[in-house]
Amino acid sequence: MSQLLPPQTTSELNPLIVTAPSIRSGTTLLQRLLCSSSNALIYGEECGKDMELSLQLYASKVAVYSHAGQRFAADLKRVLEGDVNDWILDLMPELDGYIGALGRAYFSGLAYCRDYAALVGRPVWGIKYPGWSPHVIRLIRQVMPKSRFIIIYREIEDCLRSAKARRSVNSEAEAGQFCKAWAQNLTFMLGLSDDSSVLLLKYAELVKEPERVIESLAEFADVREMRLEILSHKINTWVDAEVSMAQRPGYIEPVALTEAEKRIADESARAVSLAFPDVNGL
């Protein structure tokens, strides 16, 4: 049995994956921009969680059944030939067909996401989920080879200030974990810069030069008529959220970092800069 070849259900799936090295990087802004187009529908993080679970399940089953594939095939052959006087507790059917059936089941929800987007006249479809690890991105690329990626990244201090305000980071130890993940994920993502299925965007450039960046985004994603005024609405939480530090509905102002948190952020930015010295805005 082949190692992690895409099942028939996913080989034709072509989601647009909107992701980032960490939360608070601008993925929601990209999702809103893309959804403001008349032909795109980018689903949110619940669909992203379901997709990741399906990917992990599929990958684990392929690994397990590939490892013991010869034994399963031999057991099945003996039983079909009439020899049942053996331990056949985990008798399996033909494995390629079985794994294909599991794949169709695991990814049927994702296929529905595609079909529903087409049904409502928005054939460009995808999922937004920030902070996916290199492992998950590799799985997406293996199982759905037609997937495309829009990756937005932002200076780590800005991400950390926003995450701290949102209470996603609540201690120096959590700040260290947050910055370490940002550095590892961004280092991997920047390594994809020459891939034609990947578009890397800097958050700062989107804010500074919106028309130029949105033009490249529209060309890459094949979307039309994104609304520039979306950029004037700062949204980083639910409009009706009861968050005491929110300055206005739907937005929480970033907070200051401690000196220790600044040092942690600087170290992570330095690590990425060493790997990619030509990249600014870290």
Side-chain angles (χ1 to χ4, degrees):
M1 182 171 52
S2 301
Q3 292 288 328
L4 209 59
L5 290 177
Q8 185 177 2
T9 302
T10 66
S11 61
E12 296 302 316
L13 289 176
N14 58 343
L16 193 61
I17 305 297
V18 177
T19 189
S22 71
I23 61 172
R24 321 310 277 183
S25 295
T27 54
T28 297
L29 178 57
L30 287 182
Q31 180 191 23
R32 291 167 53 224
L33 277 168
L34 290 163
C35 285
S36 75
S37 166
S38 61
N39 67 324
L41 187 61
I42 307 300
Y43 301 104
E45 295 178 26
E46 289 303 319
C47 288
K49 293 174 188 176
D50 292 340
M51 183 178 76
E52 181 177 351
L53 177 60
S54 297
L55 288 164
Q56 301 285 11
L57 283 170
Y58 180 67
S60 67
K61 291 300 182 182
V62 169
V64 168
Y65 295 145
S66 295
H67 177 73
Q70 290 184 342
R71 177 172 62 84
F72 289 141
D75 287 348
L76 178 61
K77 182 175 183 294
R78 284 197 302 270
V79 169
L80 293 178
E81 291 174 349
D83 181 2
V84 293
N85 292 321
D86 202 348
W87 187 250
I88 52 174
L89 178 69
D90 50 3
L91 182 67
M92 299 287 296
E94 185 273 322
L95 286 179
D96 281 336
Y98 184 67
I99 284 292
L102 287 179
R104 290 191 294 276
Y106 292 154
F107 297 106
S108 60
L110 202 58
Y112 178 76
C113 288
R114 174 201 59 196
D115 295 344
Y116 180 78
L119 181 68
V120 296
R122 296 185 174 222
V124 178
W125 68 284
I127 288 177
K128 166 253 184 183
Y129 197 98
W132 262 327
S133 69
H135 171 67
V136 173
I137 292 176
R138 289 190 190 102
L139 283 179
I140 295 171
R141 285 161 64 86
Q142 285 179 283
V143 175
M144 290 177 285
K146 292 189 177 182
S147 58
R148 294 176 296 157
F149 292 79
I150 300 173
I151 298 171
I152 187 167
Y153 63 96
R154 188 181 186 187
E155 291 186 16
I156 182 57
E157 278 202 21
D158 291 337
C159 296
L160 184 56
R161 289 176 61 221
S162 184
K164 185 178 176 182
R166 189 67 178 82
R167 297 178 182 170
S168 300
V169 171
N170 298 293
S171 67
E172 188 174 314
E174 290 182 2
Q177 295 169 357
F178 182 90
C179 293
K180 181 180 179 181
W182 173 90
Q184 290 175 341
N185 293 344
L186 181 55
T187 298
F188 171 78
M189 291 170 176
L190 290 174
L192 303 174
S193 60
D194 292 332
D195 193 312
S196 61
S197 68
V198 176
L199 177 67
L200 281 160
L201 299 177
K202 295 180 183 179
Y203 179 88
E205 291 184 358
L206 174 59
V207 173
K208 185 179 179 180
E209 304 175 74
E211 292 186 2
R212 178 184 65 80
V213 175
I214 287 177
E215 182 179 354
S216 66
L217 174 63
E219 181 179 357
F220 177 84
D222 194 24
V223 300
R224 55 178 180 262
E225 301 169 356
M226 283 183 288
R227 304 203 314 264
L228 270 174
E229 100 270 353
I230 298 297
L231 295 170
S232 65
H233 297 275
K234 291 186 175 182
I235 304 292
N236 64 11
T237 190
W238 290 273
V239 171
D240 59 351
E242 295 180 3
V243 183
S244 61
M245 75 282 287
Q247 301 299 308
R248 58 182 177 274
Y251 186 70
I252 302 172
E253 293 284 353
V255 298
L257 302 180
T258 66
E259 289 303 315
E261 290 166 343
K262 288 180 181 179
R263 285 194 297 272
I264 291 169
D266 287 344
E267 289 172 4
S268 294
R270 194 175 305 115
V272 179
S273 295
L274 287 173
F276 294 91
D278 296 331
V279 176
N280 298 318
L282 299 178

